[in-house]
Amino acid sequence: MSEADVLIIGAGLAGICCARTLHRHGVSVRVLEAADGIGGRVRSDRQEGFILDRGFQVLLTAYPEALQQLDYEALGLRAFFSGAIIRHHGRFLRFSDPAREPGALLNNLFLPIGSLADKYRLWKLRYDVSHESIEEIFEAPETTTMQILRQRGFSSRMIETLFKPLLGGILLDAKLTASSRMFEFAFKMLTEGDAALPQEGIGAIPAQLARELPEGAVELNTRVRSAGRQEVVLESGEALRAQAVVVATDGPEAARLLGLAHAINSRSVSALYFAAKEPPLEEPMLVLNGGSRGPVSNLCVPNLIQPSYAPVGDWLVAATVLGWPTSDDKLLINTVRAQLRRWYGLVAHEWRLLRLYRIQHAHPVIYPLDWQREARLETGLYCCGDHRATPSFQGAMESGRLAAEALLEGLGIEVQADPAPAVNSTYRRSPSAAPAEIEEDDD
């Protein structure tokens, strides 16, 4: 028998947020986590003084749930500079947000990234999503991201050069098959807030959320065989019972635990981290692959944004590869190195590989998008996670909280408003250097 009122399987963002809400209402929880640490896919490792996030991830500071649940000041957030550096036909082109950087409009107009009409349509998209509520976006007619971009009149060049690498990094969807609703939501978050990194790495986010839980509430290295109504069976064969069970794992694991007949698909990603003696960039911006050969979708230097990500005098280079282009690690590493040499010259060959991460279930594939699915599966059994909401930090945290609220209602406990959130209007933006365009050989 469990000594807790509720058993929660999974200590990722959804599970921790669910546990935290229940604990605030006096409901005891026992969180069972198969891994050796909390966070699920949102974790960081330390190696030789570097902070390595398990897959390149950022917090979009405009997420409503993050604003409510996180203390940005305590996380020590620092933000990327708005915009991106786009690798296009052998050049690095600096494309920034004119709403945030005075003078950028004229520079953007003459960059070979789409036509003048495309740039007007981009401004119109920014205006439209900023004047729509999140509810209006998620209730709008749904199609794919590619189709909505076509409907808005964007040219193939603009889509290939800007949207594919940008959204590939956010939605892990290079083919732009994700929901148009998710695209417009993500674009709204980018226009209203920043992409930021915590001082102690992305894993600081679940760590902060879990700090409120009582000691011993989370049990690590505890794998679950199956889950059902008010009962969990561990791999050891031990059966645990409680008033309710919440499955808060990723989609494929939830399908296994619940014995679902239908598969919950997901997108994969790889992240390669290199140590360099000199930074390949001067600004705290993301570099997008705007059409050059090679598997790298985007690249950044995290300690240009957060100095804590690397020891003093060293530089961390993070390269992201979407999907699973090859199962041969050596081949993937060599192909990435070849691309980076074309981008930055022979110096890239001297970068020392720190680690390669392969994340098989990085993002759930959800289409059509059901952004607020019912958490209650049956009496005493609930399910939450970004695969039941939106594939994002927002979706995971919100889904966990809503599952807890549904469970509390089932127990006849009145849901109390969360304590007032921390004031999250201020955090440090990384300084920007002057705009620059670097001429290089064609890719």
Side-chain angles (χ1 to χ4, degrees), residues 115-134:
S115 64
L116 291 177
D118 281 322
K119 288 154 190 175
Y120 167 75
R121 294 181 185 111
L122 185 62
W123 173 86
K124 182 68 164 56
L125 171 63
R126 192 188 198 285
Y127 178 87
D128 288 346
V129 298
S130 66
H131 286 78
E132 290 179 325
S133 68
I134 293 174

Side-chain angles (χ1 to χ4, degrees), residues 187-421:
F187 204 83
K188 179 179 178 67
M189 296 298 98
L190 283 173
T191 61
E192 295 184 354
D194 293 298
L197 295 175
Q199 186 173 6
E200 297 301 319
I202 207 72
I205 293 174
Q208 184 185 95
L209 292 168
R211 208 161 287 139
E212 189 175 318
L213 298 179
E215 187 176 353
V218 180
E219 298 179 23
L220 303 177
N221 301 303
T222 304
R223 185 166 176 78
V224 173
R225 180 186 300 170
S226 63
R229 177 181 175 181
Q230 299 179 325
E231 184 178 74
V232 164
V233 179
L234 304 181
E235 277 295 335
S236 64
E238 180 184 1
L240 307 175
R241 292 189 59 81
Q243 293 184 56
V245 171
V246 181
V247 176
T249 64
D250 63 30
E253 181 67 1
R256 182 189 73 83
L257 290 170
L258 296 169
L260 301 181
H262 63 281
I264 300 176
N265 296 322
S266 52
R267 294 188 175 93
S268 57
V269 69
S270 297
L272 296 90
Y273 288 101
F274 299 91
K277 291 301 180 184
E278 298 291 338
L281 310 176
E282 294 182 357
E283 295 187 273
M285 299 180 78
L286 194 63
V287 180
L288 304 178
N289 183 350
S292 70
R293 291 179 291 114
V296 175
S297 174
N298 62 69
L299 175 145
C300 76
V301 179
N303 58 312
L304 278 175
I305 298 93
Q306 272 288 8
S308 56
Y309 267 67
V312 175
D314 287 316
W315 299 92
L316 180 64
V317 180
T320 298
V321 175
L322 303 182
W324 214 266
T326 174
S327 58
D328 185 328
D329 287 354
K330 186 176 181 180
L331 177 60
L332 178 61
I333 293 166
N334 288 340
T335 306
V336 166
R337 281 192 180 279
Q339 180 180 352
L340 297 181
R341 280 199 301 272
R342 290 195 300 273
W343 283 17
Y344 297 108
L346 291 177
V347 67
H349 186 71
E350 301 174 1
W351 296 348
R352 181 167 57 89
L353 179 69
L354 292 169
R355 190 174 295 193
L356 162 65
Y357 288 97
R358 289 184 179 268
I359 300 92
Q360 185 174 4
H361 304 297
H363 255 207
V365 178
I366 311 173
Y367 187 87
L369 189 66
D370 187 358
W371 69 296
Q372 285 189 337
R373 294 181 65 185
E374 176 64 46
R376 181 180 178 274
L377 302 180
E378 59 178 297
T379 302
L381 182 60
Y382 298 79
C383 187
C384 61
D386 61 353
H387 58 95
R388 298 184 66 82
T390 60
S392 61
F393 287 5
Q394 165 73 20
M397 292 189 291
E398 181 182 37
S399 178
R401 174 181 59 80
L402 291 176
E405 291 177 358
L407 196 157
L408 290 168
E409 183 179 349
L411 295 176
I413 299 174
E414 182 180 357
V415 177
Q416 304 294 325
D418 281 342

Side-chain angles (χ1 to χ4, degrees), residues 18-302:
C18 180
R20 199 166 83 136
T21 301
L22 293 173
H23 174 65
R24 285 178 172 177
H25 287 78
V27 176
S28 61
V29 296
R30 184 176 177 184
V31 184
L32 309 173
E33 171 55 52
D36 59 358
I38 67 169
R41 289 161 285 166
V42 186
R43 293 185 62 181
S44 304
D45 296 311
R46 288 188 174 271
Q47 180 176 324
E48 301 176 29
F50 294 91
I51 296 176
L52 309 180
D53 295 332
R54 296 193 180 184
F56 172 65
Q57 303 178 67
V58 297
L59 173 65
L60 298 186
T61 60
Y63 282 148
E65 201 71 20
L67 285 164
Q68 179 66 36
Q69 298 215 36
L70 298 175
D71 182 340
Y72 288 0
E73 184 176 358
L75 286 172
L77 291 183
R78 292 190 64 164
F80 283 77
F81 190 75
S82 182
I85 297 171
I86 301 175
R87 177 71 177 189
H88 180 65
H89 290 318
R91 294 185 293 169
F92 290 106
L93 306 174
R94 190 179 185 279
F95 192 82
S96 49
D97 185 351
R100 301 192 186 190
E101 182 183 314
L105 178 61
L106 188 61
N107 178 69
N108 289 352
L109 287 177
F110 293 100
L111 290 179
I113 300 169
S115 64
L116 291 177
D118 281 322
K119 288 154 190 175
Y120 167 75
R121 294 181 185 111
L122 185 62
W123 173 86
K124 182 68 164 56
L125 171 63
R126 192 188 198 285
Y127 178 87
D128 288 346
V129 298
S130 66
H131 286 78
E132 290 179 325
S133 68
I134 293 174
E135 290 74 18
E136 287 173 331
I137 287 175
F138 283 118
E139 290 169 3
E142 186 174 26
T143 182
T144 67
T145 298
M146 177 64 82
Q147 287 171 327
I148 197 67
L149 290 173
R150 294 290 191 199
Q151 289 172 16
R152 283 185 166 270
F154 287 105
S155 68
S156 296
R157 183 172 61 170
M158 189 69 164
I159 292 172
E160 292 293 327
T161 306
L162 177 65
F163 286 109
K164 277 193 174 182
L166 176 64
L167 298 173
I170 297 172
L171 305 178
L172 305 187
D173 176 30
K175 295 183 179 180
L176 304 185
T177 58
S179 167
S180 58
R181 295 172 177 175
M182 189 61 205
F183 155 64
E184 292 194 344
F185 169 67
F187 204 83
K188 179 179 178 67
M189 296 298 98
L190 283 173
T191 61
E192 295 184 354
D194 293 298
L197 295 175
Q199 186 173 6
E200 297 301 319
I202 207 72
I205 293 174
Q208 184 185 95
L209 292 168
R211 208 161 287 139
E212 189 175 318
L213 298 179
E215 187 176 353
V218 180
E219 298 179 23
L220 303 177
N221 301 303
T222 304
R223 185 166 176 78
V224 173
R225 180 186 300 170
S226 63
R229 177 181 175 181
Q230 299 179 325
E231 184 178 74
V232 164
V233 179
L234 304 181
E235 277 295 335
S236 64
E238 180 184 1
L240 307 175
R241 292 189 59 81
Q243 293 184 56
V245 171
V246 181
V247 176
T249 64
D250 63 30
E253 181 67 1
R256 182 189 73 83
L257 290 170
L258 296 169
L260 301 181
H262 63 281
I264 300 176
N265 296 322
S266 52
R267 294 188 175 93
S268 57
V269 69
S270 297
L272 296 90
Y273 288 101
F274 299 91
K277 291 301 180 184
E278 298 291 338
L281 310 176
E282 294 182 357
E283 295 187 273
M285 299 180 78
L286 194 63
V287 180
L288 304 178
N289 183 350
S292 70
R293 291 179 291 114
V296 175
S297 174
N298 62 69
L299 175 145
C300 76
V301 179

